[in-house]
Every structure is written in structure tokens, then in C-alpha cells.
Amino acid sequence: MSCPATGTPLLIQSVIGVLAGGTTVAAGMSGNYSLALRADSTVQSWGDNTYGQLGDGTFNNRMLPVTVSGLTGVISLAVGRNHSLALRADGTVRGWGQNSSGQLGDGVFATYRTTPVSALGLSDIVAIAAGADHSLALKADGTVQSWGANTYGQLGDGTTTSRLMPVKVPGLTGVVNVATGGVHSLALKADGTVQSWGMNSSGQLGDGTTTIRVAPVGVLGVAGVTSVTAGTAHSSALRSDGTVQSWGRNDSGQVGDGTTTDRTVPVVVNGLTNVIRLAQGADYSLALQSNGTVQSWGANIFGQLGDGTTVSRTVPGSVGGLTGVRGIAVGGGHNLALQGNGTVLSWGVNGKGQLGDGTMTTRPSPVGVSGLNGVFQPMP
């Protein structure tokens, strides 16, 4: 989940499109649902709704898109495991879905919220990110707020105390982009360096160790970074030259260096150039290239690499039949691709209807999300 901020809002982590700095389609990192921001600033949702994460006031799973209740003025989206966030044009944040760890930031431990509620005390927000059960918000002044689960220090406030309301990540300034993994977090600074904190069992913090960090530390060996993303236990940085570095868990080849060896410091993703967007899921990754094509690598048990097979890959390969793509999003085992005409394609696991094609049939190649058009277009 990642979200650059370039003076205008932009989202994070399981991203699909960036529009004037905002994510316009998002897929649950380890969950089974999807969101899309329409040009009229309303939000559509589909898939699993066990915790009300579709925001339509029910717990009914949806195989086709429905409208999130009472939500307007949205410019960016973020999706965690079972909770959703929306950044509004006024710089405030709304959330819905699971809230058992306070990940909605509304000041209470509630099992769920089936319609959007306000994250308390937030203003001047320009980017948002959602991890498994925690959330981040980047302020216009370059500081970061965090809330929700904190068992592994993923809030970065120096403690392991969960937070019902946003708190400031101490000592972190000059931030222009944030991303969340399952239980770790990343922040890109204006100087092109990256800070990280939280769980580090597979080296996903990139500091050369596997030590949990409850406060930010520097990622080693990265410079000239323009955006960051994170999967469940791996992380990536997009560099200004269009190449990508990755680190962390690599048991399915999700780091993309041709091996299945975990990496505690960043390595270059093999053969990947001209990248303009990254997205990462539980154990695989996607990259959107400047020519509108998409590359994928890592686990492929559900056909989530989109190449028509279920064969995993340790280096990038093409997602079949995709051209003219403007944005990408990655879920736990499903993906979204936003096309230039405002429609959306999806592929991968579909047991909860998260592909939005009206079925629960897993798809190893892209299919259209039914009845969804007019999705807000990201910037080139």
C-alpha cells in the first residue's frame, strides 16, 4: 500500500490509480474486496463484506459494485485487510469496516462500522495508507499520523500500545510518501531516502537486520526514490530512473531477483525498467510501465500474476493482454487494472466476488468489472 504526496493528495499501499496524487482503485491487501473512486467523487465497492468493509450499511457480500453510503468529496482511497479509508478534498479522513484494533481512528474499539465514520483529530491530510489492522495519514507539513494495532511497533510511536485515535510518529519530518505492509510501515522523505518501522521478521524494514523496530530506522542502500510500496512482509522502492529495488520476504519470489532468498537489504528487481507505478500483495508484486503494460512476479496459486497460468515466477513477466493501463491495485490474491476509458479489469482469486464480474470464479487472466465505468483517471 503506498501513497505519494506531491503537494496534491496521493494514496498508498495496494494502489490502483493515482489521480492528481490520489488512488482511484484499491484492493484489500490480505482481504477479499475492492474499491473504486468515480469521477463524481463517490465510491463503489464489491466482494467480501463480513465486517462491513463495503460500507453500504450491510454485511452482504457483493459480486457486483455497490455505492458506499453517504460518502462524497473523496479524492483518494486506501484498503487494509478488512477496513477501508477515504481521503476527502477537505483534508479529512473517513473509515469503515473492521475496527477491533481501532484502525478506523474514531476513538472507540468497535467490532465493525458498516458505514463511514470520521477519523478523529485529522486535518490537512494529503495521503493515506492502510495496513492489516493499522492506518497512516500524511499531513501537508510532511509529518505522519498513525493509529490502530501496534503489537509490532507498526505505528512507529516508540511503543507497542494500540491507538484508538491518530498519534504523531515522533521525529519523522519531510515525508512525501507513505506505505503500509501487513504489520510494517514505510515513509519516503523529500531527499529520496526511506524510513521504516514495525515487524521485521523477514527483513521487510531493509535495515540489514530482522529486528522489530518501534520507531523509524533508515532503509539501507536506497537513494533517488520517488515512491514506496509494501506487501504483507516485503517492500519496494521505485527509483527516478524507472527501476525498482525490493527487500523482505521472498519465499515465492516476490522480491523479483530470481531467487527465493529473503533479503534484509534492498536488491534490484531483475530486468524491470520504465516503471511508473508499483503495487504489492501478500506474496507477489505488480509494476505498471510507462507504455501502459503490466509486469508481475511472485506467488501465482490463484492466477494472480495474470499470465493465464498458476505457475509462480521469481522474475517479472507480462500480464497477458493488458495495454493502455493507467493504474494498478493488488489485493491478497486478486488485482485490478484501470484502463484509459474509465473501466476496470480484474483477475485472480474470486471466492467472495472480489473481481466484480458477477461470479465467484477464479480468473488467471483479466476480465471486466461489470457495470463499473467513469472511474477517476490517474495522472500520466
Side-chain angles (χ1 to χ4, degrees):
M1 316 139 199
S2 94
C3 57
T6 57
T8 51
L10 183 66
L11 167 84
I12 164 172
Q13 183 172 229
S14 271
V15 145
I16 179 159
V18 179
L19 154 85
T23 296
T24 65
V25 188
M29 170 193 358
S30 52
N32 299 306
Y33 71 106
S34 307
L35 301 181
L37 172 60
R38 298 192 53 165
D40 64 0
S41 79
T42 62
V43 177
Q44 299 273 294
S45 59
W46 62 97
D48 183 30
N49 200 23
T50 303
Y51 298 95
Q53 60 264 49
L54 299 189
D56 67 344
T58 78
F59 297 105
N60 299 325
N61 293 351
R62 305 291 187 178
M63 293 189 293
L64 297 170
V66 295
T67 300
V68 176
S69 301
L71 194 60
T72 60
V74 177
I75 58 175
S76 184
L77 300 170
V79 174
R81 174 164 51 194
N82 293 307
H83 76 290
S84 308
L85 301 177
L87 172 60
R88 302 184 69 204
D90 62 2
T92 61
V93 176
R94 306 290 295 276
W96 61 98
Q98 190 171 25
N99 196 31
S100 55
S101 296
Q103 57 264 55
L104 301 186
D106 65 343
V108 300
F109 278 125
T111 303
Y112 51 78
R113 301 288 191 183
T114 63
T115 56
V117 295
S118 295
L120 300 179
L122 291 181
S123 60
D124 299 320
I125 303 303
V126 297
I128 51 177
D133 297 309
H134 74 291
S135 305
L136 297 183
L138 173 61
K139 292 179 67 79
D141 64 2
T143 61
V144 177
Q145 300 276 312
S146 60
W147 63 98
N150 197 26
T151 304
Y152 300 100
Q154 59 263 48
L155 299 188
D157 67 347
T159 78
T160 54
T161 302
S162 296
R163 305 293 182 177
L164 301 178
M165 295 172 54
V167 295
K168 185 177 181 179
V169 179
L172 197 58
T173 60
V175 176
V176 296
N177 175 232
V178 290
T180 47
V183 286
H184 74 287
S185 304
L186 303 174
L188 170 63
K189 302 193 70 173
D191 63 3
T193 62
V194 180
Q195 299 277 301
S196 60
W197 60 95
M199 172 58 85
N200 197 25
S201 57
S202 299
Q204 57 263 50
L205 300 188
D207 68 342
T209 78
T210 54
T211 302
I212 291 171
R213 305 293 186 178
V214 298
V217 295
V219 175
L220 301 177
V222 293
V225 177
T226 59
S227 69
V228 287
T229 57
T232 297
H234 71 294
S235 309
S236 289
L238 174 59
R239 301 184 61 184
S240 58
D241 63 1
T243 62
V244 176
Q245 291 179 282
S246 293
W247 59 97
R249 188 171 179 176
N250 197 30
D251 57 330
S252 296
Q254 57 264 53
V255 167
D257 68 341
T259 78
T260 53
T261 302
D262 290 354
R263 302 296 184 180
T264 62
V265 295
V267 295
V268 174
V269 176
N270 287 5
L272 199 56
T273 59
N274 301 314
V275 176
I276 58 173
R277 304 271 188 265
L278 292 173
Q280 295 184 306
D283 47 12
Y284 67 104
S285 305
L286 298 184
L288 172 60
Q289 295 180 293
S290 58
N291 63 359
T293 61
V294 178
Q295 300 279 307
S296 60
W297 61 99
N300 197 26
I301 189 172
F302 302 113
Q304 60 263 51
L305 298 189
D307 63 353
T309 79
T310 54
V311 179
S312 298
R313 283 201 301 260
T314 61
V315 295
S318 295
V319 176
L322 283 187
T323 59
V325 175
R326 299 290 301 275
I328 51 175
V330 172
H334 76 290
N335 312 284
L336 306 173
L338 174 60
Q339 298 188 292
N341 62 0
T343 62
V344 176
L345 298 175
S346 59
W347 65 96
V349 70
N350 196 26
K352 298 290 187 177
Q354 57 265 51
L355 298 188
D357 68 343
T359 78
M360 291 189 293
T361 302
T362 293
R363 308 288 187 179
S365 299
V367 296
V369 176
S370 299
L372 184 64
N373 54 43
V375 176
F376 219 4
Q377 289 293 295
M379 295 177 67

